[in-house]
Amino acid sequence: MFIDDIQNATLLIVSDNPLRLGPFVEYLRSYGFTISMIDRGEDAVKIARERQPNMVILDVFLPEGSSFETCRQVKAHGATTDIPVIFISTMPETSDKVKGFEAGGVDYITRPFHQEEVLARITAHLKIRALQQRLQEKNAHLQQEIQHRQQIEEALRESEERFQTLTEAAFEGVIVHDKGEILDVNHAIEEMFGFDRSELIGKNALDLMMGEFRQGILSNIRSEYEHVIEGEGRRKDGLRFPVELQAKAMPYQGRSVRVAAIRDITWRKQAERALLESQQYTKNVIESSLDMIITVDPERRIVKFNSAAQYVFGYRPEEVLGQPINILYANPTESALVHHQMIEKGQVIQEVLNKRKNGEEFPCLLAASTLYDAQGQTVGYMGISRDITDYKKAQDAIISAHNELKQKNKQLQELNASKDKFFSIISHDLKSPFSILLGFAELLAANIEQYDKPKIETLACRLLSAANKLYALLENLLTWSKIQRGLMECVPELIRVHDLVRDNIELFAPQAEKKQIALVDDTPHTITIYADVSMIKTVLRNLLSNALKFTSANGTVVVSAQSYNAHYTEIVISDTGVGVPPDVLPHLLRIDSQYTHIGTAGEEGSGLGLILCKELVEQSGGSISVQSELGKGTTFSIKLPKAAKK
């Protein structure tokens, strides 16, 4: 089946409910498709092998077993392995889609669907299969032509060997005559002309030759010409046959006579005629081939350039004959590499990049071999090549579709991870601070008459602490939600890093003092970044909060900054805290893995802060990385642009 036959293609549809697909089937039939409907997977395998449909469409849910196993059985059989299989299902689960593609399916369509879209998909896969079949047939045809050419070369070689054997074994006929009167002949003359020796002696030698040949012989005799001449001899029975004659004067029985060496060249004339016919046949094969066939001499100058090559390259024969083969290559270096392989191996089959007369480059599959003469000397090279532009486009389309599917799967996984993270925070991380807040409030409300002022102040402080934690969590959650929905607008501006760090250190100074942690600002006054102020404040606030949370008393938290390169500034927040386990570190900034740990003073966290930091830094055109050693501390590095991109 080729491209122009697609609308006459046969489709095998396997569904547990054929009526449900009735309208869709009629829609396909209206476009010329022949439809076979069955409801059992095992029947589908049997019918596919017997009828060889152009495509199989499988309902994922079949009553007697797995549609994926049905697909695998279809693909496992040599006669049906190339038939494209499309799955149809009401369930859009990624796992089912993956199973479908692993089983050998080429597409996975979920219901409800648009008939036009499914028709387009079916047509696209039928075209791809048709192109693949056409390429396979062309490859088979090319191999047949190569084998045929090899057989022709072998026949010619055998013919040349037979010719050489005959030449060595043949005996020339010899006539000795005096002014035409035959004086003597050898046995080969008797066999050649059918006369006995006694019948020839005294006979005029010219009587053995045809009339038009006699004048040439007489002319040679008069001028004593000794070169070879050709003509026709006549046998005793009147049969005419081609001969080759060479004569010279020499002494014979005391007088000067002429000795003529005569060869029956019937076999040679026949061989010449056969060779001409063979050459014409070979020429016709080469000229009628749909593949480009080009031969070059040992210096790689073009000698033959068939019609297909003229059509594909756009050159007329007179424009390329005698020219170096390099003019047909997009890169002369590749041409030299092909020649080097030909010298080493005698033949080569590989993909090359050729160039048309108009400069357009295009890919070809080249099969080239060395041509030898009877002595084994190289007399040239022959290349048979095929334009595989359409094949490459189809291949690229398949790869592109596959990569797009992989990207969609990755996006789906990230969306699922984001959803899981969101529900985790809603169900657990928000519930805990709310419970503490409500608990303290209920305790204070129920006992306010009995509690003294210090007790009330203690409960109020705890209420405030719980409320602050809840507020910080809600603020991070809302910010993260805005980013996920694309509502977080990044408005970059030029910022002095020292001012930004100073404000955040002042904010966390009471907390650091309470935990007896040295909070150090080591940022130069001249270092700047080009970023969104609000976003980077949130990042620094989360990283400083984490650093203080996981650093024990008498520890140190240092914020420093430096020029990373010509385009980026690096801000570093390092602490001497508890560190992060090595197995957790690679996943610390990923949305699909959650790591939470109690602070050195019992502080709790949601695990959302670091993910929020990563997204905010990336929104500002930067990157964030982390290094940590368990028990020794953690260092976060933020790289942000120095100025707006030009």
Side-chain angles (χ1 to χ4, degrees), residues 497 501 505 520-524 527 540 544 557-563 569-574 635-638:
V497 174
V501 172
I505 283 184
V520 180
D521 178 2
D522 193 22
T523 57
I527 295 291
L540 291 176
L544 285 171
V557 175
V558 179
V559 183
S560 61
Q562 62 180 356
S563 176
T569 293
E570 181 180 37
I571 302 174
V572 179
I573 298 96
S574 59
T635 298
F636 283 90
S637 172
I638 307 168

Side-chain angles (χ1 to χ4, degrees), residues 97 101 400-410:
K97 292 181 180 180
F101 287 116
S400 177
H402 177 69
N403 290 338
E404 183 179 356
L405 181 62
K406 287 174 63 178
Q407 182 64 27
K408 295 293 184 184
N409 286 338
K410 181 179 178 182

Side-chain angles (χ1 to χ4, degrees), residues 175-449:
I175 296 178
V176 181
H177 69 90
D178 183 9
K179 298 178 182 179
E181 181 186 352
I182 297 175
L183 302 178
D184 200 359
V185 297
N186 69 348
H187 181 67
I189 287 291
E190 295 180 286
E191 291 186 343
M192 190 181 301
F193 288 92
F195 290 97
D196 290 334
R197 181 172 179 274
S198 59
E199 295 177 286
L200 292 172
I201 300 299
K203 189 177 180 68
N204 191 334
L206 294 178
D207 292 340
L208 299 177
M209 304 298 162
M210 298 306 298
E212 58 270 24
F213 191 26
R214 295 178 184 180
Q215 293 302 319
I217 297 174
L218 289 173
S219 177
N220 279 1
I221 293 173
R222 295 188 190 103
S223 62
E224 298 185 354
Y225 188 74
E226 296 182 358
H227 290 99
V228 177
I229 59 174
E230 290 184 7
E232 278 191 318
R234 182 171 58 190
R235 291 174 52 85
K236 182 178 180 179
D237 57 10
L239 179 66
R240 299 168 61 166
F241 64 99
V243 295
E244 183 179 76
L245 182 147
Q246 186 177 23
K248 65 182 299 184
M250 53 187 304
Y252 177 77
Q253 295 181 356
R255 54 179 169 168
S256 177
V257 299
R258 291 185 70 83
V259 177
I262 303 174
R263 306 176 189 89
D264 183 349
I265 58 173
T266 301
W267 62 268
R268 195 177 77 189
K269 290 296 184 180
Q270 292 173 344
E272 288 175 354
R273 185 165 52 252
L275 181 60
L276 287 174
E277 292 174 354
S278 176
Q279 289 174 340
Q280 185 61 43
Y281 176 77
T282 302
K283 181 180 179 181
N284 291 340
V285 169
I286 291 174
E287 287 302 315
S288 63
S289 173
L290 296 177
D291 292 315
M292 297 170 281
I293 302 178
I294 302 170
T295 59
V296 297
D297 61 19
E299 285 72 40
R300 305 181 71 232
R301 292 187 297 263
I302 298 173
V303 176
K304 298 286 185 183
F305 199 71
N306 79 335
S307 298
Q310 297 169 37
Y311 175 77
V312 173
F313 283 99
Y315 287 105
R316 297 190 305 275
E318 60 268 22
E319 294 178 302
V320 293
L321 295 181
Q323 296 297 319
I325 192 69
N326 284 0
I327 67 170
L328 304 180
Y329 279 85
N331 185 351
T333 303
E334 184 175 36
S335 172
L337 289 174
V338 171
H339 182 55
H340 180 70
Q341 292 183 56
M342 292 294 295
I343 294 174
E344 282 192 343
K345 303 176 182 178
Q347 61 180 9
V348 63
I349 299 177
Q350 69 177 57
E351 184 179 320
V352 297
L353 189 63
N354 287 129
K355 183 173 67 175
R356 307 185 206 276
K357 180 180 177 180
N358 62 10
E360 179 187 355
E361 297 179 358
F362 64 102
C364 278
L365 181 63
L366 170 68
S369 59
T370 304
L371 304 178
Y372 302 98
D373 62 12
Q375 287 71 44
Q377 299 298 313
T378 299
V379 295
Y381 307 93
M382 173 179 284
I384 303 176
S385 59
R386 175 173 299 162
D387 185 347
I388 57 173
T389 301
D390 291 340
Y391 169 78
K392 298 289 285 186
K393 287 180 179 178
Q395 188 180 57
D396 291 343
I398 293 172
I399 294 172
S400 177
H402 177 69
N403 290 338
E404 183 179 356
L405 181 62
K406 287 174 63 178
Q407 182 64 27
K408 295 293 184 184
N409 286 338
K410 181 179 178 182
Q411 292 174 357
L412 183 60
Q413 291 173 358
E414 291 175 352
L415 287 173
N416 285 335
S418 298
K419 178 194 68 177
D420 294 343
K421 185 71 175 178
F422 181 81
F423 285 124
S424 170
I425 293 169
I426 295 296
S427 63
H428 178 268
D429 296 320
L430 281 179
K431 181 180 177 182
S432 180
F434 263 122
S435 298
I436 295 172
L437 193 63
L438 291 173
F440 283 144
E442 289 175 359
L443 185 63
L444 182 60
N447 300 285
I448 194 167
E449 297 295 335

